[in-house]
């Protein structure tokens, strides 16, 4: 799928989520349910599209072939599963869960929930070693794929691991108290994007907020968000602020439908862009490739 086609696909999903909030919430609840009804629906649907998938799953389970999934990817590609999903998305009726599933995969906490369920199954005393091998390999593949696809960062997974370790321990109260101490030790920032535009030349904040949302639908990596912040500040559309405040404002505005990565990754990306290179006499953000990209973002935001 070409980049423009992919961007259009994500925009269509975002539009579906905005117009079908109840259907999305119901599907998300099924995926969070401990009876795994949502996962059973997905596997059954995949077998409906590609009947050979069931046989391949059984083969991999019986032979302990868990460390890679290229055979599954090839099977789906050869049977044009992606096209079948797109066709069902284009001709969606009230009985299909495909739009909700695709929206959850791209904009929900899908990878985190799948990893958490895997951990629960792995720790279940009734789970045998063969199943545990499969679960561990699946978790590794999920994390690797989420990072390689740009949907999560290593920092995101480090933060999530810390959270999972905390809720699995007896340190919940200590963690909560430490968190409150850290919050008390730094200036609170609950500013919204609209607040950040007060005192700037922006006459209609809602227009800029809408454009930012469209930008983040397709571009939400740490580099994308760092460049967005730089562009907004260069346009004087927002007051200069710390990454934490900016990231929190984005999460507050768009977090329900767009995954906003953790602040650490964005901080690193912004620090890199604003690094001054003495030999060049300018910051890295002003190198031709970055400057061209920033100018494109500024044009998009100011259209």
């Amino acid at each position: 799928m070409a980049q423009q086609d992919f961007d259009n696909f994500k925009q269509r999903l975002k539009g579906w989520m905005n117009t079908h909030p109840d259907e999305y919430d119901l599907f998300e609840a099924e995926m969070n349910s401990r009876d795994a009804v949502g996962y059973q629906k997905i596997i059954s649907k995949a077998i409906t599209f590609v009947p050979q998938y069931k046989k391949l799953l059984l083969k991999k389970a019986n032979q302990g072939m868990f460390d890679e999934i290229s055979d599954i990817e090839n099977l789906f590609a050869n049977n044009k599963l992606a096209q079948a999903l797109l066709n069902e998305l284009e001709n969606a009726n009230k009985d299909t869960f495909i739009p909700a599933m695709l929206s959850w995969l791209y904009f929900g906490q899908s990878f985190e929930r799948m990893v958490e369920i895997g951990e629960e199954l792995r720790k279940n005393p009734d789970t045998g070693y063969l199943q545990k091998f499969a679960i561990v390999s699946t978790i590794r593949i999920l994390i690797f794929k989420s990072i390689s696809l740009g949907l999560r960062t290593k920092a995101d997974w480090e933060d999530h691991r810390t959270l999972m370790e905390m809720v699995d321990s007896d340190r919940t109260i200590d963690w909560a108290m430490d968190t409150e101490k850290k919050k008390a030790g730094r200036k609170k920032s609950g500013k919204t994007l609209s607040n950040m535009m007060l005192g700037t030349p922006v006459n209609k904040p809602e227009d800029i907020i809408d454009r930012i949302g469209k930008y983040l639908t397709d571009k939400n990596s740490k580099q994308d968000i760092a460049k967005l912040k730089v562009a907004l500040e260069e346009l004087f559309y927002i007051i200069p602020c710390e990454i934490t405040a900016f990231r929190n404002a984005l999460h507050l505005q768009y977090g329900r439908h767009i995954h906003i990565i953790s602040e650490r990754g964005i901080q690193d990306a912004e620090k890199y862009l604003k690094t001054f290179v003495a030999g060049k006499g300018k910051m890295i953000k002003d190198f031709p490739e970055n400057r061209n990209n920033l100018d494109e973002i500024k044009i998009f935001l100011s259209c």
Side-chain angles (χ1 to χ4, degrees):
M1 184 184 292
Q3 184 61 47
Q4 186 59 53
D5 292 335
F6 182 61
D7 292 346
N8 292 339
F9 162 72
K10 290 175 69 176
Q11 189 63 44
R12 180 172 175 79
L13 285 181
K14 182 70 183 300
W16 183 89
M17 290 179 71
N18 290 336
T19 56
H20 297 77
D22 293 340
E23 290 93 328
Y24 179 79
D25 289 344
L26 178 61
F27 179 83
E28 193 169 42
E30 288 182 340
M31 298 310 294
N32 292 336
S33 173
R34 298 196 69 176
D35 61 10
V37 62
Y39 296 94
Q40 293 169 12
K41 284 172 60 174
I42 290 174
I43 291 176
S44 296
K45 191 68 172 180
I47 292 173
T48 300
F49 282 130
V50 186
Q52 307 96 306
Y53 179 48
K54 182 176 181 180
K55 183 177 180 180
L56 180 57
L57 281 180
L58 290 173
K59 178 181 178 181
K60 291 177 76 68
N62 290 332
Q63 297 182 6
M65 300 160 52
F66 308 122
D67 282 335
E68 72 115 67
I69 57 170
S70 61
D71 49 354
I72 293 177
E73 292 176 328
N74 290 335
L75 178 65
F76 286 167
N78 292 337
N79 285 271
K80 297 181 173 57
L81 177 61
Q83 188 59 53
L85 292 173
L86 287 175
N87 290 341
E88 187 145 340
L89 175 64
E90 291 294 330
N91 301 287
N93 57 53
K94 63 182 181 64
D95 297 320
T96 183
F97 64 87
I98 296 301
M101 179 194 74
L102 293 173
S103 299
W104 180 71
L105 286 171
Y106 280 97
F107 303 116
Q109 294 291 299
S110 51
F111 291 98
E112 291 82 356
R113 297 296 88 84
M114 287 187 279
V115 166
E116 290 161 4
I117 288 176
E119 278 293 274
E120 287 184 4
L121 292 172
R122 183 182 66 81
K123 294 176 182 179
N124 188 321
D126 294 330
T127 301
Y129 276 106
L130 188 62
Q131 292 171 301
K132 288 181 179 180
F133 289 144
I135 291 166
V136 170
S137 296
T138 300
I139 289 174
R140 181 182 65 80
I141 290 170
L142 283 169
I143 293 174
F144 172 76
K145 282 292 184 182
S146 72
I147 294 174
S148 65
L149 292 171
L151 299 173
R152 301 292 185 274
T153 66
K154 184 179 179 182
D156 289 333
W157 283 113
E158 288 173 348
D159 289 343
H160 197 66
R161 178 179 61 186
T162 298
L163 183 61
M164 289 178 66
E165 288 174 348
M166 182 279 301
V167 298
D168 227 9
S169 71
D170 297 323
R171 297 181 292 104
T172 306
I173 295 177
D174 292 337
W175 173 83
M177 292 176 66
D178 287 343
T179 301
E180 288 305 311
K181 286 178 182 177
K182 290 177 182 177
K183 288 181 180 178
R186 62 175 183 254
K187 186 185 293 184
K188 292 185 178 180
S189 176
K191 288 186 176 180
T192 64
L193 283 175
S194 295
N195 292 149
M196 291 181 173
M197 294 177 189
L198 293 175
T200 70
V202 175
N203 293 320
K204 294 184 177 180
E206 61 275 13
D207 290 346
I208 306 302
I209 289 172
D210 182 61
R211 290 179 199 135
I212 293 172
K214 290 178 180 177
Y215 173 88
L216 289 171
T217 297
D218 304 319
K219 299 177 173 63
N220 46 42
S221 70
K222 60 184 180 181
Q223 293 88 354
D224 292 328
I225 295 177
K227 287 180 179 179
L228 172 64
K229 179 176 182 290
V230 171
L232 287 167
E233 290 177 347
E234 289 186 358
L235 287 166
F236 301 104
Y237 281 2
I238 62 171
I239 57 175
C241 61
E242 296 180 352
I243 284 293
T244 300
F246 183 66
R247 186 266 172 199
N248 289 346
L250 293 181
H251 180 72
L252 185 64
Q253 184 71 42
Y254 312 105
R256 193 184 185 290
H257 299 307
I258 300 174
H259 176 69
I260 307 297
I261 68 172
S262 65
E263 63 191 63
R264 282 194 295 172
I266 308 171
Q267 284 172 337
D268 291 341
E270 185 190 39
K271 182 179 179 181
Y272 173 75
L273 287 171
K274 294 185 176 181
T275 298
F276 184 79
V277 180
K280 298 285 187 178
K282 55 187 175 183
M283 294 182 183
I284 290 176
K285 72 183 179 73
D286 293 314
F287 286 8
E289 181 179 350
N290 290 323
R291 176 45 54 191
N292 290 339
N293 191 207
L294 284 169
D295 288 343
E296 289 173 357
I297 296 172
K298 290 162 71 173
I299 291 171
F300 175 78
L301 293 172
S302 57
C303 286

